[in-house]
Amino acid sequence: MAANYWESTQRRFWQFSKDELAQMREKLQNEEYTLIQMFPLPQWRHLNIYINQRAQATNIKIAEINRLGKRIGSKQQPIATAQLYIKRFYSKVEIRRTNPYLVMATALYLACKMEECPQHIRLVVQEARSLWQGDLLALDVGRLGECEFFLISEMNSHLIVHQPYRTLTSLQSDLYLTQDEINIATSVINDHYMTDLPLLYPPYIIALTAVLLALVLRPNSVGGGSAANMAAATAALAQAQARTGAISGSALGSGQTTPGGTEIKDKQQEARVGRVQRFAVFLAESNVDIEGMVDCTQELISFYECYEQYNDKMTREQINRFIKARGLDKPH
């Protein structure tokens, strides 16, 4: 992608403060008060989890939009772009006025075109029908095409999206990140799409936060049980912030301990601490928004804790209830 993030429509029109985002949602709630009272839904985080992630019988969590993406052979980049399209769209349109399954299929179809890996509209329709046939989705080519124009209109034709993955890739060699750390950071970036962070912070802040968490978390520890480790990351960043930007190696880990307080017992652990210290120096020299990284880390902690209370069955039933009651499952 040749476009510059700093001059992009994403930065100028789709990056909000928390207060701005809250005001947008409050405005939607006031405008659709009767509809909202008639069809209560879970909190936004649980809706985000439902749209992005469904629990399979094997307890392997696969993103709902990812499931369709994998069915049609899409890679992670268009899937991430589709997720951001959905967030933008629902920041302006009340979800109860739409069929979320139709919006998911349309967002992925549009994202594939924008990310230069287009999929035939009939293939997307066919796979969406097969995947969500039990979820009140009456879909044909005409309906998806109509929804595509609706999406583009509500996003004001701002379709170029900058993702954190590119920053992560560029940092890999600079910070000597291992493949395990890259995998963890990628998982964190994937998870951040189930929060408001894509609408609140630039992609590079998300990527740097993901790197920090990758350095302080153990492999395979990303998820509901990792809140304590991420709290250590928040504390480390808070120390860095208290030093007014003069981050030293001891702020994120000394020569004897990791951020989690584990003693170094082998060379692999020593090398890991060295990468943490190198990252600290990098942050100090870059004058990065430490406060923003603290907020991102805390938001991810909150998300993982919230995930523990997520009820897939109840969320699905509530969504399907308003779809059926409002006739959104039927063709026009």
Side-chain angles (χ1 to χ4, degrees):
M1 183 184 300
N4 184 342
Y5 166 76
W6 299 103
E7 299 174 357
S8 68
T9 56
Q10 180 171 342
R11 178 175 179 268
R12 289 185 290 145
F13 301 109
W14 295 101
Q15 218 81 72
F16 309 105
S17 68
K18 288 187 175 181
D19 287 342
E20 289 171 337
L21 194 57
Q23 289 171 8
M24 291 164 61
R25 288 176 176 163
E26 184 179 4
K27 180 181 177 183
L28 275 181
Q29 290 174 353
N30 292 337
E31 292 174 348
E32 306 288 355
Y33 179 79
T34 302
L35 190 60
I36 291 172
Q37 292 299 309
M38 190 178 303
F39 301 108
L41 289 174
Q43 60 168 289
W44 263 107
R45 282 175 177 159
H46 286 180
L47 288 176
N48 285 334
I49 293 170
Y50 181 80
I51 289 175
N52 290 281
Q53 190 168 314
R54 295 284 301 277
Q56 300 299 300
T58 59
N59 289 328
I60 297 176
K61 306 297 190 294
I62 303 176
E64 188 67 279
I65 196 73
N66 276 340
R67 289 173 62 195
L68 179 58
K70 290 175 182 178
R71 290 280 284 264
I72 65 175
S74 291
K75 296 182 179 180
Q76 184 59 39
Q77 184 79 9
I79 292 171
T81 296
Q83 291 170 327
L84 192 48
Y85 284 172
I86 293 169
K87 286 189 173 296
R88 292 180 178 184
F89 179 74
Y90 283 132
S91 72
K92 300 182 69 175
V93 177
E94 166 54 43
I95 190 172
R96 296 166 183 82
R97 290 206 169 277
T98 71
N99 185 323
Y101 303 106
L102 172 61
V103 172
M104 278 189 271
T106 306
L108 183 59
Y109 170 66
L110 180 59
C112 285
K113 289 201 292 187
M114 290 304 301
E115 296 297 344
E116 300 181 352
C117 54
Q119 302 293 332
H120 198 286
I121 189 171
R122 293 189 184 279
L123 176 61
V124 177
V125 168
Q126 176 185 335
E127 294 299 336
R129 278 177 178 171
S130 175
L131 181 59
W132 297 319
Q133 58 184 339
D135 291 310
L136 310 177
L137 177 61
L139 182 61
D140 55 33
V141 170
R143 197 174 184 199
L144 191 144
E146 181 181 333
C147 187
E148 180 185 10
F149 282 109
F150 189 18
L151 242 67
I152 293 172
S153 175
E154 292 299 331
M155 293 190 294
N156 299 318
S157 299
H158 300 152
L159 304 178
I160 294 178
V161 170
H162 295 258
Q163 305 286 5
Y165 302 108
R166 170 176 285 190
T167 301
L168 177 61
T169 300
S170 67
L171 290 174
Q172 182 173 7
S173 58
D174 293 341
L175 299 175
Y176 300 95
L177 301 175
T178 67
Q179 190 56 50
D180 279 343
E181 289 161 351
I182 287 295
N183 291 342
I184 294 174
T186 300
S187 295
V188 171
I189 291 174
N190 293 343
D191 287 345
H192 100 285
Y193 288 105
M194 289 181 276
T195 73
D196 287 335
L197 293 178
L199 297 175
L200 297 174
Y201 289 100
Y204 74 92
I205 291 292
I206 303 300
L208 289 170
T209 302
V211 170
L212 171 70
L213 297 180
L215 290 171
V216 301
L217 296 177
R218 300 298 183 189
N220 304 319
S221 65
V222 174
S226 63
N229 284 327
M230 286 197 289
T234 303
L237 282 172
Q239 290 180 44
Q241 187 180 33
R243 292 170 180 262
T244 62
I247 307 175
S248 67
S250 61
L252 293 175
S254 68
Q256 298 298 318
T257 62
T258 69
T262 305
E263 293 185 2
I264 298 176
K265 297 180 180 180
D266 52 36
K267 291 182 179 180
Q268 183 179 11
Q269 189 74 348
E270 185 176 354
R272 181 169 171 266
V273 171
R275 290 193 295 275
V276 173
Q277 293 173 331
R278 189 179 296 110
F279 184 58
V281 173
F282 173 84
L283 292 179
E285 293 177 347
S286 302
N287 293 319
V288 171
D289 179 12
I290 299 295
E291 186 175 348
M293 291 181 64
V294 170
D295 190 49
C296 287
T297 305
Q298 292 173 336
E299 178 63 27
L300 285 163
I301 292 171
S302 181
F303 162 72
Y304 286 122
E305 291 173 345
C306 176
Y307 186 85
E308 294 298 315
Q309 284 76 50
Y310 170 67
N311 186 315
D312 181 81
K313 183 175 183 291
M314 182 183 71
T315 304
R316 176 175 178 171
E317 289 174 350
Q318 289 179 304
I319 288 177
N320 288 0
R321 177 173 171 261
F322 80 74
I323 291 175
K324 186 174 182 179
R326 304 196 67 245
L328 298 170
D329 56 326
K330 298 178 175 61
H332 293 187

